[in-house]
Amino acid sequence: MDWNKDLLSKIDFENINNKEEKQRIADVIANKIKDGDVIGFGSGSTSYLAIYAIAEKMKNENIKITAIPTSHEVELLCHSLEIPTTNLLEKKPDWSFDGADEVNNSLWMIKGRGGAMFREKLNIANSKVTYILVDNTKFVEKLGSKYAVPVECYINSINYVKEKLKLLGADEVFLRKAISKDGPVITENGNVILEAKFEEINEELEKNIKLITGVIESGLFIGYNVEIIK
């Protein structure tokens, strides 16, 4: 027999900021799906709204797609809405969608407040185009003005990585703490996240952070093939 999936789809829509604007953006994404598409599904509140809109369109128009989720939360949501999922070992996405925490005029981004930047970057790197879903609160003149750069790293490397981030110009580096428990946030890959606050972010910074031994990925996204949906 099938499981009751009511535990998998509990999204608190009442507390989503700018919900009307985000819903409009979500509907734009839902209208892009075509039968047979393999789509990278991002995370964040606008992406969650888009997933619900996609599920509704699939049901109403008998469209079949396959999702490549960027997080366990998104994978659970897909299962609850009966959207088939796969992974990058099996399929290559035709296109992807995702959110962002900050976007500047050059389409450089900071992502990773949800801790899934490694899988998000994999989806973006493997997609022909990725649509970034952002409301007007996400645009900044200067990248890093609102958020630090999240850096996922192997737990035994955090002191070394902190030193190297400082040498790259980070003003402060701290360990991201979990809200619901004592201790650090643990990513889906079993790693921890350092937050690095940079006064200046240049086009070489993403590459230079990635070169630090122990770094798995950073939340800097510079020079990717993205299209903003706002």
Side-chain angles (χ1 to χ4, degrees):
M1 70 179 187
D2 293 333
W3 288 105
N4 183 327
K5 298 179 180 179
D6 61 335
L7 290 176
L8 305 183
S9 58
K10 299 298 185 184
I11 305 296
D12 186 3
F13 289 111
E14 297 305 316
N15 290 322
I16 291 179
N17 295 326
N18 299 327
K19 183 181 175 183
E20 288 187 7
E21 184 179 357
K22 291 179 178 179
Q23 185 64 62
R24 177 185 56 78
I25 295 168
D27 292 338
V28 171
I29 283 297
N31 285 328
K32 289 183 178 295
I33 70 169
K34 300 189 299 294
D35 195 53
D37 275 352
V38 178
I39 304 170
F41 275 28
S43 49
S45 58
T46 311
S47 291
Y48 292 148
L49 290 170
I51 294 167
Y52 274 91
I54 286 170
E56 188 69 17
K57 189 175 178 67
M58 290 171 65
K59 180 179 178 181
N60 292 340
E61 301 182 20
N62 195 28
I63 294 174
K64 291 180 171 50
I65 65 145
T66 305
I68 301 178
T70 54
S71 67
H72 293 319
E73 291 87 350
V74 171
E75 186 170 9
L76 288 171
L77 183 57
C78 287
H79 284 306
S80 74
L81 297 173
E82 299 183 345
I83 300 174
T85 61
T86 186
N87 57 61
L88 290 169
L89 285 175
E90 301 295 332
K91 299 283 186 179
K92 181 179 174 68
D94 296 299
W95 56 278
S96 296
F97 66 87
D98 209 335
D101 301 308
E102 288 186 11
V103 183
N104 72 5
N105 293 331
S106 299
L107 304 188
W108 296 5
M109 299 179 290
I110 289 178
K111 295 169 47 57
R113 297 307 303 166
M117 58 271 192
F118 179 57
R119 289 174 64 176
E120 290 170 351
K121 195 167 286 189
L122 280 173
N123 267 5
I124 290 175
N126 280 277
S127 299
K128 297 172 186 174
V129 63
T130 297
Y131 299 103
I132 301 298
L133 319 182
V134 285
D135 63 85
N136 56 19
T137 66
K138 304 301 176 64
F139 292 97
V140 295
E141 290 293 326
K142 182 179 180 182
L143 204 67
S145 58
K146 292 183 179 181
Y147 293 107
V149 176
V151 180
E152 181 176 353
C153 50
Y154 179 63
I155 191 166
N156 289 346
S157 73
I158 58 174
N159 293 318
Y160 175 78
V161 172
K162 177 182 177 180
E163 285 186 351
K164 293 299 183 181
L165 289 171
K166 290 276 193 176
L167 289 176
L168 289 177
D171 297 317
E172 55 179 318
V173 181
F174 52 92
L175 187 66
R176 184 185 293 183
K177 298 293 184 64
I179 296 173
S180 59
K181 70 177 185 67
D182 293 332
V185 168
I186 303 298
T187 71
E188 294 168 359
N189 309 306
N191 302 304
V192 295
I193 296 175
L194 294 177
E195 300 277 10
K197 186 66 177 176
F198 289 91
E199 182 63 28
E200 297 293 334
I201 293 175
N202 60 53
E203 61 184 351
E204 299 298 316
L205 186 57
E206 179 185 0
K207 179 183 71 176
N208 289 335
I209 291 174
K210 189 66 180 288
L211 288 173
I212 301 171
T213 301
V215 168
I216 307 302
E217 194 51 83
S218 83
L220 275 179
F221 289 67
I222 296 175
Y224 291 84
N225 184 26
V226 299
E227 183 177 320
I228 300 296
I229 304 291
K230 59 182 181 177

